[in-house]
Amino acid sequence: MSMKHQNFIDRDKLYSLLQNPAPTEQELNEILNKARKLKGLGLEDVAKLLMVEDEADIQKILDTAMFAKEQIYGKRLVLFAPIYTGNACVNNCVYCGFRLDNKTLKRKVLTMDEIENETKTLLRMGHKRALLICGESPRNDADYMVEAIRRTYAARDEKGSRIRRINVELAPMSTEDFHKLWSEHIGTYVCFQETYDEVEYKKFHPIGPKSDYLYRLTCMDRAQEGGINDIGLGVLFGLVDYRFEILGIMEHARHLEEEYGCGPHTVSFPRIEPAEGTPFSQPENIPNPVNDKDFRKIIAIIRIALPYTGIIISTREKPEMRDELIKYGVSQISAASETNPGGYEDKSTGSQFSLGDHRSLDEVISKMIDGGYIPSFCTGCYRKGRQGADFMDLAKPGDIKNFCKPNGMFTFMEYLMDYASPDTKAKGLDLLQLLTHDFAEPRRSKIIENLDKIAKGERDLYF
């Protein structure tokens, strides 16, 4: 029987898997050898890896994740920035600065002119990919978001640059409203379950439509039925045992594969960070905090368990942690983010949480270049229709690299020509020259030709 719109999370089963001992050395090696085939891992193998505590064994997991990351993504790293369109919210999630009972928060919902101004500010930094996000409120309904998407796509900076891809992180909605979003050519629809533990979920979400666990859990089914075939999962780490949450993500991914033929495009990994007027979010009150050792481990486990899924780390994390995790699985990061509505122009409105990484986009890119990474603003796959199952059909045999790496280089070249500081531009051009030697002819000549065209003023070239 189809599990669409039903609870596909067996809470007792997942917790029972966490009662098993850590794998023996032989079992661990067998699981990691399987992972190196880049076909993913099943629930039981992931449960065993989650029980690993020995530092040397964790390093083996990290090394395997580094191998998978290099094989699938190489040195490419996608960059984006959020635009918070409003912090009005009818929910009272205990961990969130936007919660209904937070009376210290200055509330605001952006006008379309303000959304355009925020977009232009991001464009002037060099961004080409945006995530629209807001609290859940009738003031931010689907029709409002449709208009916001249109205004964001329409915005231009003084160089004529525009946002080429909009992802959205919005509350669950009806199939009809999802279809409205799909009709506006969004990229990925993102919605965090927050926690897959239905019992604990009720404690953290006491008031508002978000208190309906099942409606949230099945929102990706309605999104798929509304035409959206790229979806992003996530939980908020710190609410319940992180090991249970990872198993929940695995079950959600399995459900999507079975019902729609394609798992999540991305998985996000936020940890609870302090928010003004929200005592629960303070470190001493977080019920199940995730330390850095465990955080590295779970990033690595998801990288090898879901090898073709993008892993996102936000500016909640400090620069050192973000820079390190790029090696072990992270493939997308936000940069120069603000988490309050209108925050790129006005810092006075209330934010959702505090930031750990305050670097500018140029500073983030400069650090990436030092590590040999390609800062990518590419959106070619979305505009060529390489989405959902079609994307995975190219990704799983490794063919997607033939598009992603060159396209990432082209958008990097645009950034260097239009927005980079002199130092970033100089060393970025050196890196691009080195990278062209990674390709055989005739691909190499075509890439060099496109890079030269971009240097002379052409834009938006992609394979």
Side-chain angles (χ1 to χ4, degrees):
M1 182 178 68
S2 172
M3 289 296 289
K4 291 181 182 179
H5 309 296
Q6 298 181 50
N7 187 356
F8 48 82
I9 299 296
D10 187 335
R11 182 177 185 269
D12 292 341
K13 173 187 173 182
L14 299 191
Y15 274 118
S16 70
L17 288 172
L18 300 178
Q19 301 305 310
N20 295 324
T24 64
E25 182 177 1
Q26 180 179 346
E27 288 175 326
L28 178 62
N29 290 336
E30 288 175 353
I31 294 171
L32 296 183
N33 286 336
K34 184 190 303 183
R36 284 180 175 268
K37 297 177 182 178
L38 306 179
K39 302 297 183 183
L41 296 174
L43 188 69
E44 287 73 19
D45 284 340
V46 170
K48 290 177 181 177
L49 293 181
L50 289 168
M51 303 309 293
V52 172
E53 295 293 339
D54 178 77
E55 293 279 3
D57 288 342
I58 290 176
Q59 189 59 51
K60 289 181 181 180
I61 298 173
L62 294 174
D63 291 343
T64 306
M66 186 185 301
F67 169 80
K69 171 75 186 301
E70 287 289 334
Q71 291 296 308
I72 296 168
Y73 292 93
K75 289 287 190 177
R76 181 180 58 89
L77 188 66
V78 172
L79 292 160
F80 71 95
I83 297 176
Y84 278 74
T85 65
N87 59 11
C89 194
V90 296
N91 296 306
N92 205 32
C93 311
V94 297
Y95 48 79
C96 182
F98 290 177
R99 66 192 180 93
L100 183 64
D101 282 353
N102 187 357
K103 305 306 181 185
T104 68
L105 192 71
K106 180 181 177 182
R107 305 282 179 173
K108 184 175 180 64
V109 174
L110 299 186
T111 66
M112 294 303 139
D113 285 347
E114 289 171 326
I115 289 173
E116 181 176 345
N117 289 337
E118 291 286 279
T119 306
K120 287 180 178 179
T121 301
L122 291 183
L123 290 170
R124 292 178 187 121
M125 296 180 195
H127 278 293
K128 298 288 190 295
R129 300 163 63 107
L131 172 71
L132 294 187
I133 183 172
C134 61
E136 185 171 4
S137 165
R139 299 167 67 186
N140 298 99
D141 64 10
D143 291 332
Y144 170 94
M145 293 311 303
V146 163
E147 190 176 356
I149 292 165
R150 291 175 181 174
R151 197 64 173 265
T152 302
Y153 272 137
R156 300 288 188 274
D157 72 356
E158 292 76 10
K159 299 179 185 294
S161 294
R162 61 187 175 86
I163 294 295
R164 296 174 184 166
R165 177 187 172 191
I166 298 172
N167 297 336
V168 296
E169 183 179 329
L170 302 172
M173 56 188 71
S174 67
T175 300
E176 292 74 21
D177 282 343
F178 277 124
H179 187 74
K180 291 179 182 178
L181 296 181
W182 174 80
S183 299
E184 299 303 319
H185 308 291
I186 65 166
T188 304
Y189 169 72
V190 180
C191 185
F192 296 175
Q193 185 61 28
E194 314 296 10
T195 176
Y196 285 98
D197 186 324
E198 185 174 10
V199 174
E200 295 298 309
Y201 185 94
K202 295 177 174 62
K203 301 176 184 177
F204 305 128
H205 308 93
I207 295 174
K210 193 171 176 178
S211 62
D212 188 335
Y213 172 89
L214 185 60
Y215 190 73
R216 194 169 189 87
L217 183 66
T218 56
C219 73
M220 296 305 179
D221 297 88
R222 295 189 299 280
Q224 293 275 358
E225 291 158 6
I228 299 172
N229 57 8
D230 265 17
I231 57 91
L233 304 180
V235 296
L236 183 58
F237 288 99
L239 297 177
V240 307
D241 187 336
Y242 73 87
R243 300 172 302 173
F244 177 87
E245 304 290 27
I246 293 297
L247 295 182
I249 289 170
M250 290 297 299
E251 286 290 81
H252 205 159
R254 176 193 58 77
H255 168 75
L256 293 169
E257 284 275 5
E258 290 180 356
E259 294 291 348
Y260 308 103
C262 183
H265 190 75
T266 60
V267 176
S268 298
F269 285 79
R271 291 190 280 187
I272 297 175
E273 292 295 335
E276 183 182 356
T278 308
F280 180 95
S281 67
Q282 300 306 311
E284 64 273 14
N285 296 328
I286 297 172
N288 288 279
V290 179
N291 61 40
D292 289 350
K293 170 187 168 183
D294 290 333
F295 197 54
R296 293 184 188 94
K297 180 176 74 173
I298 61 179
I299 293 287
I301 288 173
I302 286 293
R303 170 48 61 227
I304 61 179
L306 302 173
Y308 300 99
T309 295
I311 292 180
I312 299 176
I313 291 292
S314 76
T315 47
R316 289 172 182 257
E317 299 296 333
K318 291 181 170 55
E320 299 78 15
M321 178 59 71
R322 298 209 318 155
D323 294 341
E324 179 184 358
L325 290 175
I326 290 168
K327 295 186 298 183
Y328 299 124
V330 170
S331 57
Q332 296 188 29
I333 61 170
S334 54
S337 302
E338 297 292 342
T339 65
N340 49 313
Y344 298 106
E345 296 288 308
D346 177 10
K347 311 293 192 224
S348 67
T349 55
S351 62
Q352 189 178 31
F353 54 85
S354 59
L355 300 178
D357 189 345
H358 298 274
R359 292 176 295 178
S360 69
L361 178 59
D362 196 76
E363 288 171 324
V364 171
I365 288 177
S366 178
K367 181 69 174 180
M368 289 170 60
I369 295 169
D370 293 341
Y373 290 96
I374 306 167
S376 174
F377 301 91
C378 176
T379 60
C381 283
Y382 281 82
R383 289 181 291 159
K384 283 289 189 179
R386 297 189 289 261
Q387 294 177 257
D390 290 337
F391 175 86
M392 289 299 174
D393 287 344
L394 287 169
K396 290 181 179 180
D399 295 337
I400 198 66
K401 287 190 293 187
N402 297 325
F403 301 98
C404 291
K405 186 173 181 178
N407 288 347
M409 292 169 64
F410 300 153
T411 59
F412 182 28
M413 185 67 162
E414 288 187 11
Y415 176 81
L416 296 176
M417 292 295 102
D418 294 340
Y419 300 102
S421 65
D423 179 63
T424 299
K425 180 177 180 179
K427 62 184 183 180
L429 291 174
D430 288 342
L431 176 60
L432 281 174
Q433 186 176 21
L434 286 173
L435 290 170
T436 59
H437 296 289
D438 294 344
F439 299 90
E441 295 293 355
R443 194 70 158 179
R444 180 170 180 261
S445 292
K446 182 60 178 176
I447 290 169
I448 292 172
E449 178 186 341
N450 277 4
L451 291 173
D452 186 56
K453 287 180 179 179
I454 294 168
K456 292 176 180 177
E458 290 193 42
R459 294 292 178 268
D460 205 11
L461 303 178
Y462 55 92
F463 294 150

